[in-house]
Amino acid sequence: MREENEYLLGTDDDELRRLGFQHQVWAGTAAASWERGGFGPGHSVLDIGCGPGYATLDLARLVGQQGRVVGVDVSPRFVAHLQARAAANGMANVAVEVQDVEELALAPESFDGAYARWVLTFLRRPEAVVAGAARVLRPGGRLVVHDYYHYAAFQIAPEDPAVHRVVAAIVASWRDGGGDPNVGARVPRMMTDAGLEVVSITPIARIARPGDALWEWPRTFFDNFLPHLVQTGYLAEDERLAFDAVWAARAADPAAYLVSPPMVEVVGVRR
Ligand SMILES: C[S@@+](CC[C@H](N)C(=O)[O-])C[C@H]1O[C@@H](n2cnc3c(N)ncnc32)[C@H](O)[C@@H]1O
């Protein structure tokens, strides 16, 4: 059953597993982002749109017992999952709240850092999230955003029209749901409008070949999402099957590779 207000990709067990695997293959990138955010022991960090909290728990280990991490997400199911895992691990420095991040209700100037990964891209009003994050940061605190800036550039080589068709359907459904698959291009402006100084803009792009763990990352997304695109009329079943055939051929081709949809990490500081 779908949760009320759940985001485009749902909150069922498959999505929960997908987000866990996704964090696994992107954890190194996250760690580098947190370093650029200056997050460290004793800090208080907000995880905006934390989902089931795979990054939140790593952040909690980073800030240690003297620090604290607050995860907020609109999904009660994801929040309950995070709460249970934090309790099972005896992590008293994690707090979790069900909140709409477009209306962040947290004390002003109460965090040293804030992190938003793959969240703004799903929202109608991402600028409200950035403004809210700016309000809750202490002077010197940093907001780190990691998101797509040109989703349609996702590619599997050698190229095939069946892949372009699927990517176009994903983008159309995403936009119709109120999100922006290119939101990263707007984030620096959102930060300056919110009174943050942009300190770095870093491109994030990776290549995967068949057999790499990262090769499976888009596959887990396609498995969950393409049936939904067929049900909702964005994709025809024969287009989905054509895509699957291309994927299977590329997975067996030692000359194949995929390029992740280009992303950007933007870091802003509150002066
Ligand atoms: C792709 S997941 C990313 C989760 C997490 N940031 C990560 O990187 O693993 C997007 C998350 O944004 C949450 N979300 C979407 N719209 C939201 C809103 N308006 N308020 C709070 N959370 C929201 C979803 O529930 C989901 O957990």
Side-chain angles (χ1 to χ4, degrees), residues 5 12 15 28 32 45 75-76 88-90 92 104 109 111-112 115 127 135 155 181 196 221 226-227 234 249 258-259:
N5 292 333
D12 62 12
E15 178 61 3
V45 175
S75 161
N89 288 315
L104 270 181
E109 303 197 359
F111 289 94
D112 303 300
Y115 181 59
E127 58 288 339
R135 266 194 304 275
Q155 223 192 87
L196 299 176
F221 165 71
L226 298 196
Y234 285 93
L258 66 80
V259 188

Side-chain angles (χ1 to χ4, degrees), residues 116-142:
R117 178 177 68 174
W118 292 310
V119 175
L120 301 186
T121 190
F122 296 107
L123 301 178
R124 285 182 194 281
R125 294 190 301 123
E127 58 288 339
V129 183
V130 172
R135 266 194 304 275
V136 302
L137 283 176
R138 298 192 179 106
R142 291 184 175 204

Side-chain angles (χ1 to χ4, degrees), residues 153-227:
F154 172 77
Q155 223 192 87
I156 303 174
E159 284 190 84
D160 191 284
V163 175
H164 297 305
R165 176 68 200 101
V166 159
V167 172
I170 293 169
V171 165
S173 130
W174 201 321
R175 288 199 183 284
D176 290 350
D180 178 359
N182 298 350
V183 73
R186 296 159 54 206
V187 169
R189 170 65 64 222
M190 288 178 205
M191 286 192 181
T192 56
D193 284 352
L196 299 176
E197 180 190 328
V198 175
V199 290
S200 66
I201 305 176
T202 307
I204 301 171
R206 286 171 71 189
I207 297 272
R209 298 178 64 195
D212 293 345
L214 188 67
W215 178 267
E216 298 303 322
W217 170 60
R219 183 67 249 180
T220 57
F221 165 71
F222 296 135
D223 285 346
N224 289 3
F225 197 56
L226 298 196

